[in-house]
Amino acid sequence: MKLKRRDFLKATAAVSAVAMVGCGAPKNNALAPMNPKKAIGEEPGEWISTTCQGCTTWDPIQVFVQGGRAVKVRGNPNSKANCGTCCPRAHMGLQQLYDPDRVKVPMKRTNPKKGRGVDPKFVPISWDEALDMIADKLMELRNNGEAHKYMLNRGRYTYMRDIIYDAMTKIYGSPNNISHSAICAEAEKSGAFYTHGYWDYRDYDLHNSKYVLIWGLDPLVSNRQVPFTIKSFGDISDKATITVVDPKLNASAAKAHNWLPVIPGTDGALAVALAHVLLTEDLWYKPFVGDFKDSVNHFKAGQTVDADSFAGKHTHGLVEWWNIELKDKTPEWASEIVGIPAESIYKTAREMAVAAPSVCVWMGPGAAMHVRGTYTAMAIEALCGILGSIDNIGGTMMKGKTHVNKMPKLDAYKDATAKKKFKKIDQRGFLNFPAMKKGKSGSGVVTNNVADGILQKNPMEIKMGIGYMNNFPFSGTGAQRWEEALSDLEFYVHITTHASEMSQFADIVLPSAITTFEKWGYLKSKGNLHSQVSLLQPVVEPMWDVKIDETEIPYLIAEKLAARGFDNLFRYYKENFNDPETGKAPTNSKEFAEYAVKYYTAPSWDGKKSFPGDKIKGLEEFKKAGVWNDARLSYKKSWGKFKTKTHKFEFYSETLKQALGKHAKKHHVSIDKVLDVCNYEARGDKAFVPHYETPFRYGSFEEYPFTFIDHRSRLNKEGRSANTTWYQEFKKVDLGDESWDDVLKINPDDGAKLGLKNGDMVRITSTNASFVIKVKLWEGVRPGNVTKCYGQGHWAYGRVAAEDYKNAKPKGFNNNELMPADYDRISGSTARNGGFCGVKIEKV
C-alpha cells in the first residue's frame, strides 16, 4: 500500500492525539508542546544503580530516570562480573513496571469456590483489613496448636529472604519454609558436590579458556552469566574451540565450532565415553590426577587395572571408576546410544586434551534435571577432574568471598511452640526423597512435591500459606496437581505484582513492589571470576499502593501479631535491624526495609574491616556504585582441600557413599533399597561412581514415539514477562518461534512422515495431558523429538499473557502441564529434561 505524505501526516497527527488522550501530553518528543522559557534538548535525568532479577545472573544494572519516570536501562559499568552489559530481560522490566495489569491494591476473595476458570470475585480492601485477616488466621492456628500447619512458599528472592522465609516462619512455629530452588536447579549442584565437594553454581574462566564445552544449556539465552557471555562470546570463539551438546539447536550452538545433538537423556553415556578416550589414550592431566607408578598407561579397553598401581595426586578412586564403569564404555558403544558418530566422540576428547587444563566444562540443567540426573551430572563434572581444569586457568571455577552480615540469631525469640520439631510438607528426607543437599539427608528441598504433600496431608495438613514471587501452578511440572492442592487449601495469601495463576486460588492478594525498580534488597552473585554484592534500591516512587514482599509486609504482619499478644517476631525485627549508621531502631515498615538492607550490606561499605576487593567509602558511595566486587579469583585454591570426605576430587565418591549410607541407616534399609525406591539403576559400588543410567521415560516409544524437549526463552524474565508486548512481539528471537504465538517445533523429516506443513494444528499428547497447538517445521531439532519454548500458556497473569484472561483461556499451552511430575531424588530436583516425557503427535 502506498501512503501519500499528506495522508501520512494526517495519520501521525491522529496517532499523536490518541497518545495524548491515553497517556497525557508527552514530555520528550518533537510533537510535545514547548515551554519557550525552557532550553531545547533532552530533559535532565540520572542513572541510578540497582539490580535486574530477570534470571539468576542477578545482573547489576542502572536505570535512567527522568522526571520521576524510569525510561531506559543499561548494564552497570561498575560490575566486574558483567562488564557493563545487560540482556533483553532488563529492558523488559520497564514494561513490567508500568504494566496497567499490575495488582494495585490489596484484594479479598469473595467466592469460596476455587479452581481454574472460577471467578474469585475479588474486591479491593485496605492494607489494614488485609493484614488483620492474615494476623487473625495466624493467631487462630497458633492458639489451636497448629502453627506447624502454616507454610511459606518462596519463589525468586533477594537475600532479604531471611526476614520472611526464615525468621517469620521459624519464630512463628512452622517447619514449612519452602523455597523454589529445586524447580530450576539442584541436580547440577549434586554432580559438583559428589565429585569435588562444591554445592553451588560454578564460574568459568572463559577469557583464558582454550576449549569450552557447553552441555545442556544456552548461556547466550538463559542460565547464569548471560550478559557477560553475550559480551564475550565473539572474543572467546576467536581464541577457543566451542562445542555445544544439546539435542536441539540453540543460539550458542549456532555460533559454536561444533554441535553434538545427542539423543535426550543419554548425556551420561557421552560423558563416560569421553572419559574412556582420555584414559586409554594417556590424555589425562597428570599434574592434577596423578599417574601409574611405573609411568606406563595400564588403561586398556575391557581390562581391569590394579588399584595399587596408580598414585593419585589430587584425586581419589580413578582406577575404581575405570574398573566399575569406564573400561567397556568405548565411543563405539556410546555412539549407538547417543546418536553421535564415534569419530566425533574421539575428536572431542582429543581436542579437549590438547587444550587441557584450560577447558571449561559448562554444565546446565538440560543435562542434569532428569529422573537419574545426579549420576549424569557427576559424569560430566568428572571430566573437569580428568582434564585438571577444576579451579585452574581457563577452566571451571568456584566462587570468591562476599562480605555481608549474617541473619541475627533466632533462638531467644522462639517459644515452646516454635521449638517443636516437625517434618516438612515437601517430604524431604523421606525414604523416597533423600534430597541430600551437601550430603545430608533431608537438607535439600523438593519444591514440586509440596503439591502432593498437601493433597496427601502428609506429614501434616496445611491450613494456611503465604507465597511471594512464585507461581507454582505454572512453573511446576504436573502443574494440575498444584491447582488441585490450592483449590483445597483453607486460606492462602499471595504477594505478587500480577494476578497470576497462583493468585486465582488466593484468599488475599497483596500488591508487591516490583523488584529492580521499587524495592530495597541485595544479591550475591558471580561471573568473570569476580564475586559481587549488588544493591537493589527504589529508583522511582511506586504509582500504586504496593509494599516490599520480603521486608515491609512481614514487618506489618509482625506488628499485627504483637497487637494480638504474640510479639516475639516484632521484637526480633525491632531489636536486630537498627540503622548501622545511627543506631536507630525502625519505627515503621519503610524504615525497616531500608535499615535491614543497610544492616546486611554494611561490611561491603562501612570500611570497618579490610579485605580484598573494592574499597567503598560509605553508604552513599555504595548506592551510587550499586555493586561491590571481590578481587579476582586465584587458581588452584581448592587443590588439596576439596570439601569431600577424602579432601580430593573423588572419581569414586566416598562422599556420596557416606551420604547414602546415613540416609539408608535412618530408614533401616540398605543403600541398594534406597536406590531402588528412588528409581536409580545402580547397585553396589556402581552407585558411588559417575556412570550412565538409561533415561527413565513416561510413555513407551510404541505409543508415544516422540520425545518432548522443553527449552528456555531469552525473553522469559523469571516467568513474569509474558504480559509485556515486547515479550510477545520479539518472541521470534527465540530460535524457531513466532511473534504473538506459541508453536511446537518438529523436524521437517518427521513433519513429512506425518503429512504436516507449517501452520497446521496438531494434537500433542503425553501420559499427563493433551493439547492442540500450531506446528512449525524446524531443522534445529533432532528427528524423533519435538520442542517448545517455555513461557506461553498463561491462562491468567494479564490481558496480554492470556488469550482471554476473563475466561481463563491460555495462549498456546504451558509445557509444565504436558510434563508429568517426577524428580532426581538424590538432589530433590524437578525432572524436566533428559527425554523423560514421551508424546504422540496427531494432525487435527
Side-chain angles (χ1 to χ4, degrees), residues 741-790:
D741 211 343
D742 194 23
V743 295
L744 181 72
K745 290 166 280 193
I746 185 170
N747 189 279
D749 290 345
D750 290 329
K753 294 174 184 176
L754 295 173
L756 298 174
K757 62 181 184 299
N758 277 331
D760 283 348
M761 302 302 291
V762 298
R763 177 170 293 280
I764 180 171
T765 304
S766 70
T767 60
N768 202 59
S770 183
F771 301 96
V772 174
I773 185 80
K774 183 187 292 186
V775 77
K776 174 77 175 285
L777 303 181
W778 187 56
E779 297 87 348
V781 62
R782 184 186 176 98
N785 303 278
V786 295
T787 185
K788 190 170 87 68
C789 191
Y790 169 73

Side-chain angles (χ1 to χ4, degrees), residues 220-268:
L220 289 172
V221 167
S222 64
N223 205 254
R224 292 149 190 94
Q225 304 177 26
V226 175
F228 176 69
T229 309
I230 290 173
K231 182 180 180 67
S232 306
F233 203 87
D235 292 338
I236 295 164
S237 65
D238 288 342
K239 297 184 293 184
T241 298
I242 300 176
T243 296
V244 174
V245 181
D246 201 293
K248 58 166 182 52
L249 185 71
N250 59 37
S252 298
K255 296 176 180 294
H257 302 93
N258 306 294
W259 172 36
L260 303 179
V262 294
I263 294 172
T266 64
D267 307 75

